[in-house]
């Protein structure tokens, strides 16, 4: 049976496995999916998770629940030797091992792309994973808790300042959702006013959201300004040591929360750890039919899709001639990729990927959004409905759709959930604080000093010395000698015998 190995369980990987289960006949192929996480993250929902509008668990899809006939391996692929058709699997525990395959599908996705700016690696956080979204939400809420009990001053201002770096779709959505969350929190903290909160967006280009028209992006800027947000265009971050964000304009913004959304790059662990061809931007060179290789020569048995792949955009709308890395392309590429693999297994020819971008939609906080498709632009509440409608339907599986929709419905009547669970990142803190521990071993006592000998013993020990040096007799020795001299006549001792010779007997 042909063995199909899928590297990565994100959009493209999950959908490829999902559709292969649908199209493959029983026993036609053996499918294995390898990913270090046991779930797929629906990344368009991350800004809403960070704002508390969607429960974190509802924005992910468990591999094992929805992939019934796929072998799931929770591990990393750290090497690909396509010449011999084996991949190196590195599990969380245990030694790495090799796994043979007939077809490999590389869908390892992308990670945050950063630059060697002092302080960014130590103080900033990305927004590419569900864990990061939860951490951002809890951090902002914890800062409100701390600031509410502090007097006005620089440290309080730092806690209530948020800096988002990057003005693309991901950055704008995160920025707007966090601003919306902060506005909602102000109403629950009488000690904090709206003017006490400070939000700054840093963008190196002269505009935001290049995916929409300039007119639409300008409307978004005005809308953010009305909500008390500060957008710094044509500005770069030059430092972030100790949370002090230094800008190329010379301004310094002290903050306790830096969210980095300034670009992504193909997963370097997979790309650099194999022998598959890589193009100049660090992505796997992929043909329009999603086989790895050049237009003239495909690499037999190797496929790629999603953010890790440089797939030609036959519609002509891609940047540099390639499909832009977004969920819309990843899902559609994966669906075609599954069909193409089945076609090749059955001796048929694969089809080329062609998809014209349907537009872009972004949420800007509760009841506000923007939508752009060609020359059609929607703004405000109607665009927000379009945003939720599109992503609600795009969420894979009805099980997950209903969980998300049910959460939205509850929030409509009950309001945003503002429970802060930052301590869940250190769940044992209470147990550790009060847990009984063995008493430390007592340090070894120093050897006790020899006790002082009784007077008579001391006299006995020193008797020989006294015999040699009568001038240095101790008082006890002298008393003993005197006593012996008094008793001597009663025992008819020789009169001429010296007292010193009787000292030992007196000591006894």
């Amino acid at each position: 049976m042909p063995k199909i190995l899928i590297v990565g369980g994100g959009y493209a990987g999950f959908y490829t496995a999902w559709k292969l289960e649908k199209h493959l006949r029983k026993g036609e192929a053996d499918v294995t999916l390898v990913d270090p996480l046991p779930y797929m993250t629906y990344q368009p929902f991350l800004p809403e998770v960070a704002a508390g509008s969607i429960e974190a668990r509802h924005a992910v899809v468990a591999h094992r629940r929805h992939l019934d006939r796929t072998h799931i391996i929770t591990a990393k692929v750290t090497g690909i030797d396509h010449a011999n058709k084996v991949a190196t699997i590195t599990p969380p525990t245990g030694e790495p091992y090799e796994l043979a395959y007939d077809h490999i599908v590389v869908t390892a996705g992308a990670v945050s792309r950063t630059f060697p700016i002092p302080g960014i690696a130590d103080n900033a956080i990305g927004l590419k994973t569900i864990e990061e979204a939860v951490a951002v939400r809890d951090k902002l809420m914890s800062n409100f808790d701390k600031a509410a009990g502090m007097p006005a001053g620089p440290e309080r201002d730092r806690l209530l300042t948020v800096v988002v770096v990057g003005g693309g779709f991901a950055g704008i959505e995160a920025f707007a959702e966090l601003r919306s969350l902060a506005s909602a929190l102000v109403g629950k903290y009488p000690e904090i006013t709206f003017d006490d909160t400070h939000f700054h967006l840093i963008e190196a280009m002269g505009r935001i959201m290049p995916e929409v028209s300039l007119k639409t992006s300008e409307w978004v800027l005005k809308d953010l300004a009305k909500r008390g947000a500060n957008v710094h265009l044509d500005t770069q971050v030059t430092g972030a040591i100790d949370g002090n964000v230094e800008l190329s304009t010379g301004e310094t913004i002290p903050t306790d929360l830096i969210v980095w959304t300034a670009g992504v790059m193909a997963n370097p662990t997979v790309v650099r750890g194999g022998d598959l061809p890589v193009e100049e931007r660090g992505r796997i060179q992929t043909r329009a039919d999603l086989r790895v290789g050049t237009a003239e020569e495909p690499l037999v048995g190797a496929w790629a899709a999603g953010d890790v792949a440089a797939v030609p955009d036959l519609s002509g709308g891609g940047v540099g001639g390639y499909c832009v890395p977004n969920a819309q392309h990843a899902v559609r590429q994966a669906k075609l990729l599954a069909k193409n693999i089945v076609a090749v297994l059955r001796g048929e020819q694969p089809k080329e990927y062609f998809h014209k971008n349907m537009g872009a939609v972004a949420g800007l906080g509760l009841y506000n959004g923007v939508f752009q498709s060609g020359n059609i632009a929607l703004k405000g509440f109607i665009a927000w409905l379009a945003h939720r409608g599109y992503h609600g339907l795009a969420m894979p599986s009805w099980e997950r759709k209903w969980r998300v929709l049910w959460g939205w419905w509850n929030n409509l009547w009950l309001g945003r959930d503002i429970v802060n669970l930052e301590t869940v990142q250190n769940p044992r803190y209470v147990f550790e604080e009060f847990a009984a521990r063995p008493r430390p071993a007592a340090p070894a006592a120093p050897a006790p000093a020899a006790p002082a000998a009784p007077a008579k013993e001391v006299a006995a020990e020193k008797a020989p010395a006294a015999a040699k040096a009568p001038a240095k007799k101790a008082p006890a020795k002298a008393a003993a000698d005197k006593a012996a001299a008094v008793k001597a006549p009663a025992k008819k001792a020789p009169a001429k015998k010296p007292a010193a010779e009787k000292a030992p007997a007196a000591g006894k």
Side-chain angles (χ1 to χ4, degrees), residues 313-331:
D313 190 344
L314 302 183
S315 71
V319 179
Y322 294 101
C323 296
V324 296
N326 62 23
Q328 192 175 137
H329 281 303
V331 171

Side-chain angles (χ1 to χ4, degrees), residues 184-207:
L185 290 177
V186 166
K188 306 298 181 182
Y189 291 82
E191 306 89 347
I192 300 174
T193 67
F194 181 87
D195 293 335
D196 290 333
T197 60
H198 313 285
F199 280 72
H200 297 268
L201 177 79
I202 316 301
E203 171 53 47
M205 296 176 58
R207 58 164 295 179

